[in-house]
Amino acid sequence: MLTNHCYQGDCRAVMRDLIAAGVRVQCIVTSPPYWGLRDYGHPAQLGQEPTLREFLANMVEVFDLCRELLAGDGTLWLNMGDSYAGSRGAPWGPSPSATEARAMTASRRRDDAPIPRSDVRVEGLKPKDLVGQPWRLAFALQDAGYYLRQDIVWHKPNPMPESVRDRCTKAHEYLFLLTKNEKYFYDFAAMQEPVSGGAHARGSGVNPKAVVPAGWDTSAGGHRALTGRYAGTGVGFGRGYDKVAKPRAKQNVSFSSAVAGLVDMRNRRSVWAIPTQSYSGAHFATFPEALVEPCVLAGSRPGDIVFDPFMGSGTVASVAQRLGRRWLGAELNSDYIALQAERTRQPGLVLEASA
């Protein structure tokens, strides 16, 4: 099977061919074109549909094929930004004036130029309404059979400035974790992050900084409410106790032993502060490598295949290759293929996961 390769063409046709050939991928990381954001100059492009409803229907078709391409324990990591409804007719309508362009919302991920996102009329919405593209797509995929496991907020410390005066400057996008099945591969250890200051591993003891209510027995082996407002309530001290507040076997915890449970790593939180990242090979801001890396690490093993149906300049391929994964992609625009080849020119060290 050919890997470390991007197929040029409509991603739906590419995925149908891969599925027919028996290919399965472990992890998909992607950011599809946002509706009404940018004209990529191809008649078959997605994102320029006349209505949001048609765009979402096309996205569901794309990700239905992604789900079929995924291994049974595979994951999909999907980045999607939002837009605002306006009064102009269609995404490909007449170019706005310079004054109008200054008020429009642009995306630092794809292009630094003013983009007509916030002036497109959306059926059922009023001008200036937030469209809610990310959540509409996430719920559509949930209805289509995906498990919607997590919404991750990509916080951009360096967002594109906006001239609006009646709301905050947009400084975040969403990254959704979706899965094919209830049980799936997820490398928990790969998603650990350093802790600043003292923290406590949940389930291993009691936070030593906690204030102990009056009436609690805090001696080793005690751990039940004895007096005060907790007396007779059946409420026990800490986790792992039954309704009558009797400690389960071998669950004795004291404040002195809790101190030993201090940790310097914790499970990654769901807000990721990652600056946007420009790429010198093209006049647009690419999918940041720091946003892709944790998705690849958590969603795949060394030697697994990572796929991006909207490969663009090849960020997902570059990260996957650097991390010892194989990769596949699809891209409609031939101009991007050369960029991908340059970014993946240096072969990565591909390791096979141990049994």
Side-chain angles (χ1 to χ4, degrees):
M1 178 188 65
L2 182 64
T3 57
N4 295 352
H5 179 76
C6 182
Y7 295 88
Q8 184 182 345
D10 188 303
C11 64
R12 292 164 290 189
V14 170
M15 284 190 284
R16 290 188 182 101
D17 289 343
L18 291 174
I19 292 165
V23 175
R24 292 296 179 269
V25 303
Q26 183 61 42
C27 178
I28 297 176
V29 185
T30 193
S31 186
Y34 308 161
W35 181 65
L37 170 62
R38 188 173 190 268
D39 186 350
Y40 290 91
H42 198 289
Q45 66 185 321
L46 297 167
Q48 292 293 310
E49 292 83 351
T51 67
L52 179 63
R53 186 186 304 273
E54 292 174 75
F55 168 70
L56 292 174
N58 283 338
M59 287 294 102
V60 170
E61 181 185 6
V62 167
F63 290 108
D64 273 346
L65 291 166
C66 284
R67 187 154 55 97
E68 193 172 349
L69 187 62
L70 272 174
D73 62 347
T75 54
L76 164 64
W77 305 77
L78 172 63
N79 166 233
M80 173 63 76
D82 216 336
S83 63
Y84 285 86
S87 57
R88 194 164 60 87
W92 59 85
S95 298
S97 67
T99 301
E100 292 171 328
R102 281 195 294 270
M104 294 173 186
T105 304
S107 169
R108 285 292 297 274
R109 188 185 66 79
R110 290 290 192 186
D111 201 312
D112 286 336
I115 302 299
R117 291 180 61 188
S118 59
D119 65 338
V120 177
R121 183 181 300 119
V122 181
E123 180 183 359
L125 297 182
K126 305 173 293 300
K128 299 183 71 171
D129 268 342
L130 184 66
V131 175
Q133 285 193 43
W135 285 103
R136 289 175 187 267
L137 177 57
F139 290 146
L141 297 182
Q142 187 180 54
D143 290 342
Y146 274 98
Y147 287 81
L148 179 55
R149 290 293 295 133
Q150 179 109 66
D151 63 314
I152 296 164
V153 175
W154 169 21
H155 163 226
K156 304 178 183 182
N158 59 336
M160 171 67 79
E162 298 183 69
S163 61
V164 293
R165 292 179 174 269
D166 58 355
R167 62 171 175 81
C168 300
T169 295
K170 196 66 171 286
H172 75 280
E173 292 187 13
Y174 285 99
L175 178 69
F176 294 109
L177 168 59
L178 301 112
T179 68
K180 184 173 183 175
N181 291 304
E182 181 179 0
K183 295 185 181 297
Y184 52 93
F185 175 78
Y186 181 91
D187 190 337
F188 175 77
M191 293 299 268
Q192 300 293 287
E193 64 181 8
V195 172
S196 58
H200 203 281
R202 288 189 177 274
S204 64
V206 182
N207 184 352
K209 297 180 181 179
V211 176
V212 182
W216 286 95
D217 177 4
T218 60
S219 63
H223 312 315
R224 68 173 71 191
L226 300 178
T227 63
R229 65 174 181 153
Y230 297 101
T233 63
V235 177
F237 182 66
R239 291 179 132 192
Y241 297 86
D242 58 25
K243 294 181 180 179
V244 296
K246 294 180 180 178
R248 294 175 184 169
K250 299 182 181 179
Q251 288 291 325
N252 294 339
V253 181
S254 67
F255 274 82
S256 59
S257 65
V259 176
L262 290 174
V263 296
D264 57 7
M265 297 294 288
R266 67 181 186 185
N267 190 22
R268 185 184 291 264
R269 278 19 182 183
S270 61
V271 177
W272 299 357
I274 297 173
T276 57
Q277 177 181 347
S278 61
Y279 172 50
S280 59
H283 300 293
F284 55 81
T286 60
F287 209 12
E289 292 191 3
L291 186 67
V292 174
E293 183 171 314
C295 305
V296 172
L297 288 172
S300 64
R301 312 163 189 84
D304 282 342
I305 300 176
V306 178
F307 178 69
D308 185 353
F310 302 99
M311 184 63 81
S313 65
T315 302
V316 171
S318 177
V319 171
Q321 185 166 285
R322 174 167 53 81
L323 296 175
R325 276 69 170 171
R326 295 174 291 169
W327 57 269
L328 287 169
E331 175 54 48
L332 188 65
N333 193 326
S334 60
D335 293 341
Y336 292 110
I337 303 297
L339 297 177
Q340 297 167 14
E342 176 61 26
R343 296 186 74 180
T344 57
R345 182 169 53 87
Q346 181 66 35
L349 178 62
V350 178
L351 304 174
E352 296 295 337
S354 60

